Structure formats: C-alpha cells, structure tokens
Amino acid sequence: MKLFNLTFAFFFLLAGAGHAATLTELQQQALQNRKVIKKYQATLDISDMDESLAKSSLYPSLDVSYSANALDESNAVENRENSVAIGSITWNLFSGFQDRYNIQSAQLSKKAAELKLHGIKQDIQLNVALRYLTTYTRKANLKVAQDSYTTLGKIYRDAENRFNVGLIKKNELLRFKVDLDNAVITQKKAQAELDKSVRMLQREIDGKVNSTLLAYNEFAQLPSLGENSAYEAEMLKNRSELRALQELAQAAKAQAKAAYGSMLPRLDLASSYRKYNDDFEPGGNAADEEIRTQLTLSMNLFDGFGKYRRVGKAKRLEDSLRYDLAEMECDLKTQLQNLFLDYAVSSENVGVAQSSIEQAQENVRITRMSYQEGLEKESDLLDAITNLSRARYNYVTAKSEVFANYFKITRAIEGF
C-alpha cells in the first residue's frame, strides 16, 4: 500500500509539473502576486479609515484632566498646595450638516478607490494577455524561421550534390550558403526574442513561466465581436475609470455642501464635573465641587473670507472632475472606434495572408522543379523561399493583431 501511495504521488507531481498554463491561470497568478494590487488595496483600506474618521464626529467627546498647583503662599481663595480634577463630555448637536456631507464624501471616495482597484486589475489582466500573445507570436515566428532554415538546408545539400557533379557553379552554391547562414542568424534572433518575451511575461505575473508548457488554446480560432454600439454602451456603463470620476465628482459636491455648513450656526452640548482640593491628592476631601451643563450656540461672523474660499474651492474641484469625466468619455469612445477599425483590418489581413501562404507554397514547389530542370536560376528559387517566409510572417502578424485588438476591446468594456 505504501509503495502504491508513493507511486501515485510521484505521478501526481509529474502531472502537476506538466500542466499547461492557460491565459486565465496566468492572469489570476498576476492578480495574486503583483505588488501594485497590494498598493491599491492599501489605498482602499485608507479610504475605509477615512470613512470611519468622518463618522467619529457623530459621537460625543469625553475628556479628563488633573492639575496640581503649588503657590509661594496661601491666599484667601486658594490654598498653597491645591489640585483640580475635571471630567467633561461634549457632544455636537448641529454643525450645519457638515458631518453628514463629510461622511457622504468619504463614502463616495471609498467607492472611487474600489473602482480604481478594479480598473488596475483589468489593466494587469490586459497586460498579461498581451504578453502571453507576444510569446505566442514570437514562438510562431521562431517556427517560421526554423522551417525556412530547414528548407534552405535541404536545398543547400541538394546544391552541394549538384556542384560536386558539375551541374552548377561555385558562385551558385555560395548564394545558397549565404541565405542558409542568414537563416541561422534569423533563427537565433527569433529564439532570443522568444526568451525575452517569456521573461517579460514572468515579470508581468511576478512568477515563473515554462514556455514549453504554455497552452495557447485561446488562439486556436479567431475571436468574433458584435456591434460597435453595443460595446460602447457597455463601456460607458462599466468602465472603472469613468465610474471612479463620477464618484469623485459626487464626493466633491458633498464637500461643497459641507463647506456651506461653516456659514450656519453651531450647537454644542457639554456637561462637566469639577473637583477642587486643598492638597495634591485628587481623592482627598473636596474643598469645592461643581457639576455644570452648558448648551452653546455659536456662529462665526467673519474669518477673513475663508468660508467663501473653501466653498468656492470645493465647487471648482467638482467642476474640474466633471470636465475630466467628459474628456475621458470622448477619449474612450474614440479609442474604442479605432480598435474596431484595427480589428476589422487585421481580420481581413488574416484571410489575405492565408491565401498568400498557399500561393507562395505553390510558387516554391513550381520554382524548385523548374530549377532542378535548369529552367530557373538559383536566385529565383531563393526569392520564392523568401516570399513564402514573408507570407508566413505576415500571417502570424495579422493573427497577432486580431487578438491584440480583441484583448484591448475586452479591457475597454471591463470584460476580463
């Protein structure tokens, strides 16, 4: 039984190690690991504390104090050594609704912080998707470079045989060798670009990535989109940045109302207990005790126009946020329209590139047969191979652009 359990555990570990990572899994790993998420979570916690601080003004304030006094000599009203103990409770009953609007502003600011955190998560998921797509593109480019090298290698070996039997000249063989060497360089560059893209993906998720285990199942079929108008409505409804600005504008409006409160009277209720002793002992015999309850109505008549400046500042802040909101809506609409244009063009280019590959493959086949029969020059064959590689690169690029635009459109509507 122990041997069976060990064997099962061993194969389980192998299966886990060989698990192909999907885009969704990589995005979730990034959300768990990235420090920027923790930073915005800390900002959200601060907003929560600000809300609690705003609510604290609704509660009464309790204060205690003790004073010990030493005089050079006693007098008619105060002993040489005396002490005073005071306990008081103060409660603001009315302050021009400042407390109410300060709490409302803090709650709206907290909601804005939540939306900013959600937007950052969407941005990180988009970046992971684009980095993941880049690794797919670089891997596809490497495959094209490898196929080109393999094809040129076969042709070069065939050319060597033809040269050895005197069918072609030395300069013709050297032309094939130059293109073969260039294919080696291209292949090494493609491998380096793939390695760099994997490192960038690792940085994006703040973890390790095995490029051989990336699934890429997401790219098996081209994505499809609906009408532009539906996506625009969804974007304006869900976009975190827009909603955050809306909440901040409402918070600024509440701050303006709170600032108006400083122009109204203030009503405070206070109750205190005062105990005077003829010595330093607070618990000794009291020479004098007093319990006093006060209801105070106060109003500031002039503070150097500070009240009006605070109100004006809060109103202008609200106006500024409203302007930012309008500008952002226009920018996002324009960006979305451009993304749909790019998506449409790249989708059409995929079909063109597929057709070009088929034509280029047939061209290579015909040119190679003609070359072997002496009807074509070696430069014609090399051009045909180059055209095939270009067609394959164009296909990879077009397909990559389709998915890149699709991911950006998904981000635009908060679709991750």
Side-chain angles (χ1 to χ4, degrees):
M1 180 61 68
K2 290 182 179 179
L3 179 61
F4 173 78
N5 289 337
L6 288 173
T7 304
F8 178 79
F10 174 74
F11 280 107
F12 178 79
L13 290 173
L14 285 180
H19 172 67
T22 65
L23 174 58
T24 301
E25 291 171 344
L26 293 173
Q27 289 173 326
Q28 291 303 313
Q29 187 176 350
L31 294 179
Q32 293 173 4
N33 296 344
R34 289 296 299 274
K35 303 302 183 293
V36 67
I37 295 292
K38 295 177 174 59
K39 170 192 170 183
Y40 276 85
Q41 183 62 56
T43 303
L44 178 58
D45 294 339
I46 293 172
S47 299
D48 187 57
M49 296 176 188
D50 288 339
E51 181 184 358
S52 299
L53 286 173
K55 290 180 178 179
S56 66
S57 61
L58 299 177
Y59 297 93
S61 175
L62 180 63
D63 299 279
V64 294
S65 66
Y66 168 77
S67 301
N69 305 302
L71 308 179
D72 56 348
E73 61 181 12
S74 300
N75 56 48
V77 295
E78 192 172 3
N79 202 33
R80 181 175 179 275
E81 294 180 351
N82 65 82
S83 62
V84 181
I86 302 175
S88 64
I89 182 169
T90 306
W91 193 13
N92 172 254
L93 300 180
F94 180 75
S95 61
F97 304 107
Q98 292 185 71
D99 297 336
R100 171 188 173 184
Y101 291 117
N102 283 332
I103 292 172
Q104 182 181 354
S105 175
Q107 291 173 337
L108 292 168
S109 297
K110 177 184 175 182
K111 182 63 176 177
E114 293 175 351
L115 292 168
K116 287 182 180 179
L117 175 60
H118 182 72
I120 288 297
K121 289 181 178 179
Q122 288 286 316
D123 287 336
I124 287 177
Q125 291 181 91
L126 171 62
N127 292 338
V128 171
L130 294 177
R131 296 295 187 191
Y132 180 69
L133 173 62
T134 300
T135 62
Y136 168 78
T137 303
R138 299 285 170 78
K139 194 169 186 178
N141 286 338
L142 176 60
K143 181 65 168 59
V144 173
Q146 289 172 339
D147 290 344
S148 178
Y149 171 77
T150 301
T151 302
L152 287 170
K154 292 179 180 178
I155 293 177
Y156 177 73
R157 288 189 294 272
D158 179 63
E160 277 188 318
N161 295 331
R162 292 165 65 85
F163 171 73
N164 291 332
V165 297
L167 294 178
I168 63 174
K169 299 177 181 179
K170 181 69 173 181
N171 63 333
E172 296 180 10
L173 178 63
L174 292 176
R175 289 178 183 175
F176 288 113
K177 185 63 170 67
V178 169
D179 274 45
L180 181 61
D181 291 342
N182 183 68
V184 173
I185 295 173
T186 302
Q187 185 176 339
K188 290 181 178 179
K189 287 183 177 180
Q191 182 64 59
E193 292 298 323
L194 173 59
D195 295 339
K196 288 193 291 184
S197 65
V198 171
R199 288 189 177 91
M200 293 302 294
L201 178 59
Q202 289 179 157
R203 170 64 188 95
E204 200 63 48
I205 69 172
D206 199 6
K208 295 294 183 181
V209 173
N210 187 343
S211 61
T212 61
L213 297 179
L214 294 178
Y216 298 129
N217 294 330
E218 298 83 358
F219 307 124
Q221 293 181 343
L222 292 179
S224 59
L225 296 175
E227 292 294 329
N228 187 350
S229 57
Y231 281 82
E232 182 176 300
E234 192 75 10
M235 179 187 68
L236 296 178
K237 175 184 175 182
N238 297 335
R239 190 67 183 242
S240 297
E241 293 91 332
L242 292 175
R243 295 173 61 195
L245 276 180
Q246 290 169 353
E247 297 295 333
L248 289 175
Q250 290 294 327
K253 184 177 182 180
Q255 281 294 324
K257 291 181 178 179
Y260 272 116
S262 62
M263 299 180 181
L264 300 177
R266 177 185 177 93
L267 184 64
D268 294 281
L269 175 67
S271 182
S272 64
Y273 168 77
R274 183 179 183 275
K275 179 182 179 182
Y276 174 82
N277 290 316
D278 286 335
D279 51 35
F280 289 154
E281 297 181 12
N285 294 325
D288 185 24
E289 288 183 314
E290 178 187 78
I291 297 176
R292 177 176 297 186
T293 300
Q294 290 180 312
L295 185 64
T296 304
L297 179 65
S298 61
M299 182 177 181
N300 173 263
L301 299 179
F302 182 73
D303 65 347
F305 304 104
K307 297 188 293 289
Y308 302 100
R309 298 296 178 265
R310 285 189 290 272
V311 171
K313 178 182 176 181
K315 292 180 66 176
R316 294 309 293 168
L317 176 59
E318 179 190 358
D319 293 339
S320 175
L321 291 170
R322 296 290 183 189
Y323 298 144
D324 286 342
L325 179 61
E327 288 290 326
M328 182 177 288
E329 285 185 358
C330 292
D331 290 341
L332 291 176
K333 288 179 181 179
T334 303
Q335 292 172 11
L336 185 64
Q337 292 170 357
N338 289 340
L339 286 173
F340 267 88
L341 288 174
D342 292 338
Y343 175 84
V345 172
S346 56
S347 297
E348 294 175 0
N349 289 342
V350 169
V352 175
Q354 285 178 323
S355 176
S356 297
I357 290 175
E358 296 174 359
Q359 296 171 4
Q361 287 174 334
E362 181 65 13
N363 183 41
V364 169
R365 186 186 69 82
I366 295 174
T367 304
R368 189 171 185 177
M369 292 176 58
S370 300
Y371 171 75
Q372 290 174 346
E373 294 176 2
L375 300 177
E376 296 282 358
K377 296 182 295 184
E378 71 284 348
S379 59
D380 296 326
L381 180 57
L382 293 174
D383 288 343
I385 296 172
T386 301
N387 290 335
L388 176 58
S389 297
R390 185 185 300 113
R392 288 172 173 169
Y393 282 124
N394 289 340
Y395 174 75
V396 172
T397 300
K399 188 174 181 181
S400 175
E401 289 175 352
V402 169
F403 280 97
N405 290 311
Y406 174 75
F407 289 145
K408 292 175 182 178
I409 291 172
T410 303
R411 165 65 185 98
I413 63 170
E414 305 274 332
F416 284 116

